[in-house]
Amino acid sequence: MRNVEQVSSVKSELLDIFMSMEVVEHQQRQKSAAVRNLRARRGIELHNEFKRLEQDIAELDVALDDDVMQ
């Protein structure tokens, strides 16, 4: 009977260790995903800002050309 209790105890400990490892791995995956999403969002924002700047510069060029023509 004592052996059964010891085996049960060891199984329980192993399960606890496994579950805590799973939790840690899950947290690491979540952090990695958050970092990837943040980088992607920043990249998109940077891309949009460059496009806005290009449009502003193009509009300024047109306005300056119109002023020179007058």
Side-chain angles (χ1 to χ4, degrees):
M1 200 60 158
R2 180 81 178 134
N3 286 340
V4 171
E5 290 174 3
Q6 287 178 339
V7 169
S8 179
S9 175
V10 170
K11 283 182 182 180
S12 179
E13 286 181 44
L14 288 174
L15 183 59
D16 288 343
I17 292 169
F18 175 75
M19 293 304 290
S20 64
M21 288 172 51
E22 287 290 314
V23 168
V24 169
E25 288 175 7
H26 178 70
Q27 290 171 340
Q28 288 172 342
R29 283 192 300 270
Q30 280 184 320
K31 286 180 184 178
S32 295
V35 168
R36 281 192 312 272
N37 290 338
L38 181 60
R39 285 182 183 165
R41 193 174 329 122
R42 286 182 178 164
I44 291 168
E45 290 172 357
L46 187 60
H47 175 75
N48 290 336
E49 181 65 22
F50 275 117
K51 287 193 101 49
R52 276 192 297 271
L53 289 172
E54 287 174 355
Q55 287 176 337
D56 291 346
I57 291 170
E59 290 172 6
L60 184 60
D61 282 344
V62 169
L64 287 175
D65 288 345
D66 288 346
D67 286 346
V68 170
M69 294 296 237
Q70 293 176 352

